[in-house]
Amino acid sequence: MLRVVVCVSGGGTNLQAIIDGIADGRIADTRIVGVISNNAGAFALERARRSGIDAVCVSPRDYEDRAAFHGALLERVNGFAPDLIVLAGFLVTIPPEMIRAYPNRIINIHPSLIPSFCGVGYYGLKVHEAALKRGVKVTGATVHYVDEGTDTGPILLQKSVEVHEDDTPKTLQRRVMEEAEWVILPQAIDRIARKGHMEWNPE
Ligand code: GAR
């Protein structure tokens, strides 16, 4: 049984895709043992609780500095004893000590085809605004391992999505979620659950 902790900041539609994927069998042999949000108002916390999943908030506002927040975050994660940590719209930079504690055991979903529209400053709607501004005809989503850079870790899965002429950042965001994110994030977790994360270790 793959024990998964999901880290979230907002609406939690990717979390929902994981919950649904486990329920309908698209994700094998996996349990979400905890959900952690940096934002107490995140609807993702509500989604978790509705599904009977342990959900907690660890907010930087409750700690005197970044180091104390990072320490508390790592302690919470460790408390769930996860095999895999999934960043599903978690808009917090992962502390290096957490990356070192969970080598090749943290994955992230990013709403573009990396290496386009990624790195510092590219998150959420900003990614789709940049894609439309550049005029790309195809975009998509990427699931990748998390290393100490921003969106620089080894790529596990990608899926492309067509850009429409009349797209706004919001319509494009929605299509990328529906056609790519909610598909490849459950697929990536399923593959890791079936094969064990070590087989995916790219090193
Ligand atoms: C998703 O589109 C995810 O790819 C993005 O935030 C959104 C969260 O939505 N993540 C990033 O931009 C990370 N750089 P959700 O809370 O509904 O899953």
Side-chain angles (χ1 to χ4, degrees):
M1 176 72 69
L2 188 79
R3 295 173 59 87
V4 174
V5 162
V6 184
C7 297
V8 294
S9 297
T13 63
N14 279 286
L15 167 66
Q16 192 66 54
I18 302 168
I19 293 171
D20 295 346
I22 292 171
D24 68 20
R26 274 177 299 135
I27 304 176
D29 205 24
T30 294
R31 196 175 130 215
I32 302 176
V33 292
V35 168
I36 300 175
S37 173
N38 61 308
N39 165 16
F43 185 63
L45 286 172
E46 180 61 30
R47 290 182 192 269
R49 290 181 186 131
R50 280 183 195 172
S51 295
I53 299 165
D54 212 349
V56 296
C57 173
V58 183
S59 168
R61 292 181 189 178
D62 297 333
Y63 299 91
E64 62 184 18
D65 57 23
R66 214 67 192 165
F69 167 61
H70 285 169
L73 185 63
L74 186 55
E75 207 171 292
R76 277 293 191 174
V77 167
N78 290 342
F80 288 119
D83 301 308
L84 180 73
I85 299 162
V86 177
L87 310 182
F90 190 53
L91 305 181
V92 166
T93 304
I94 298 302
E97 54 269 40
M98 186 157 139
I99 293 163
R100 286 193 289 270
Y102 293 92
N104 292 312
R105 291 204 282 153
I106 309 175
I107 62 172
N108 178 49
I109 178 88
H110 183 78
S112 75
L113 294 174
I114 289 175
S116 291
F117 312 116
C118 64
V120 176
Y122 287 98
Y123 57 88
L125 214 51
K126 289 180 191 292
V127 177
H128 306 292
E129 284 165 2
L132 289 179
K133 195 168 174 201
R134 184 63 187 87
V136 293
K137 305 302 175 208
V138 174
T139 184
T142 302
V143 179
H144 64 93
Y145 281 112
V146 174
D147 64 11
E148 291 192 28
T150 304
D151 301 328
T152 51
I155 292 170
L156 281 89
L157 288 177
Q158 291 188 302
K159 192 166 188 291
S160 62
V161 173
E162 266 185 33
V163 178
H164 295 175
E165 268 187 19
D166 59 352
D167 264 330
T168 64
K170 285 208 162 160
T171 61
L172 184 57
Q173 178 182 51
R174 181 76 192 177
R175 189 169 335 100
V176 168
M177 283 177 158
E178 283 176 355
E179 293 183 10
E181 297 186 45
W182 304 340
V183 177
I184 62 173
L185 187 56
Q187 270 176 3
I189 297 168
D190 177 64
R191 290 210 197 173
I192 291 169
R194 285 174 194 274
K195 295 186 177 178
H197 65 89
M198 293 316 287
E199 271 192 50
W200 277 72
N201 186 340
E203 285 162 6

